[in-house]
Amino acid sequence: MSQVFDSYERQYCELSANLSKKITSANLLDGEQKKQKISEVVGGFEDGEALIRKMDLEARSLPPSVKTMLLAKLREYKTDLNNLKMDVKRITSANTNQAARDELLEWNCRYFNGIWILLSFKCTCTYFLGGQAWQSLHPQREMYQGSNSYFDARQFKIGRHTVG
C-alpha cells in the first residue's frame, strides 16, 4: 500500500475518534458550551472530508489490485463520517424539536384564543345587528309575500310576450 494513504488513514482515524468523543461530551452539555462543542465538531467534519478527498485521490493513483481494497476502506470512512454527522443532527434536533414544540403550543394558544375572541365578537355583532336587520327587513318581507299572491293571480304583459 501507499505510505501517503496510510498517513491520511491514521490522521482520519484519530480525527474520527476525537469527533466521536466531542459528540458524546456535547450531548451532555447545555447552552453555549454545547453550541461551542458542536461548532468544533462541524469544523472537524470539514477536516475529515478533506482527508477523505486526499485518500480518494491517492487510492485512484494506485494499481487496480490495491485500488479496489483502498476504495472499499474509503467507503467505510465516508459512512463513518456520515454517521457522525447524523449524531450531531440528532443532538441538535433534540433542542430544536423542543423549541419547535414550545413555539407551536404558544401559536395554538394564540390561534384558539383569537378564534374564541372572533367568535365572541361575531355572536355579539349578530345579536346586536340581527335585531336591527330583522326590523328593517320585516316590512320588505311582508311586501314580497303580499306581492307574490298578487302576481300569481294575475297575468301581465311585458313587451310582446305574455308572462304568467
Side-chain angles (χ1 to χ4, degrees):
M1 281 202 287
S2 167
Q3 291 179 350
V4 176
F5 186 90
D6 289 340
S7 170
Y8 291 147
E9 187 177 23
R10 272 193 303 277
Q11 289 175 15
Y12 176 79
C13 289
E14 289 173 8
L15 179 68
S16 177
N18 287 335
L19 290 176
S20 182
K21 287 178 188 176
K22 286 181 182 180
I23 291 170
T24 304
S25 66
N27 196 19
L28 302 174
L29 298 174
D30 285 330
E32 203 57 41
Q33 293 175 337
K34 186 174 192 169
K35 288 180 184 178
Q36 182 181 6
K37 191 65 81 169
I38 288 174
S39 67
E40 290 174 18
V41 171
V42 170
F45 288 154
E46 293 169 3
D47 295 341
E49 289 171 350
L51 284 170
I52 287 174
R53 280 192 301 272
K54 290 177 183 178
M55 284 189 282
D56 188 35
L57 288 172
E58 184 62 29
R60 291 184 188 280
S61 69
L62 297 173
S65 60
V66 178
K67 180 166 81 170
T68 38
M69 182 182 66
L70 295 180
L71 289 177
K73 278 187 175 183
L74 198 55
R75 279 192 296 275
E76 290 177 15
Y77 295 146
K78 286 179 184 179
T79 303
D80 176 57
L81 190 62
N82 286 333
N83 288 339
L84 292 173
K85 287 179 182 180
M86 292 301 291
D87 289 344
V88 168
K89 282 183 183 179
R90 183 181 44 81
I91 290 170
T92 56
S93 70
N95 290 341
T96 306
N97 286 342
Q98 184 60 40
R101 269 190 230 111
D102 293 343
E103 184 179 338
L104 183 60
L105 181 61
E106 180 181 330
W107 182 85
N108 280 340
C109 289
R110 283 195 315 247
Y111 176 75
F112 288 120
N113 284 337
I115 294 279
W116 178 252
I117 290 169
L118 182 62
L119 287 175
S120 299
F121 179 74
K122 185 176 180 183
C123 291
T124 304
C125 289
T126 304
Y127 176 75
F128 288 118
L129 295 177
Q132 294 172 356
W134 174 253
Q135 288 173 357
S136 64
L137 290 177
H138 186 67
Q140 292 175 7
R141 181 175 171 263
E142 288 179 353
M143 182 181 77
Y144 288 130
Q145 284 179 337
S147 64
N148 282 342
S149 62
Y150 174 76
F151 288 124
D152 287 343
R154 179 173 185 253
Q155 289 185 347
F156 58 94
K157 294 183 178 181
I158 300 175
R160 296 182 186 167
H161 303 285
T162 303
V163 179

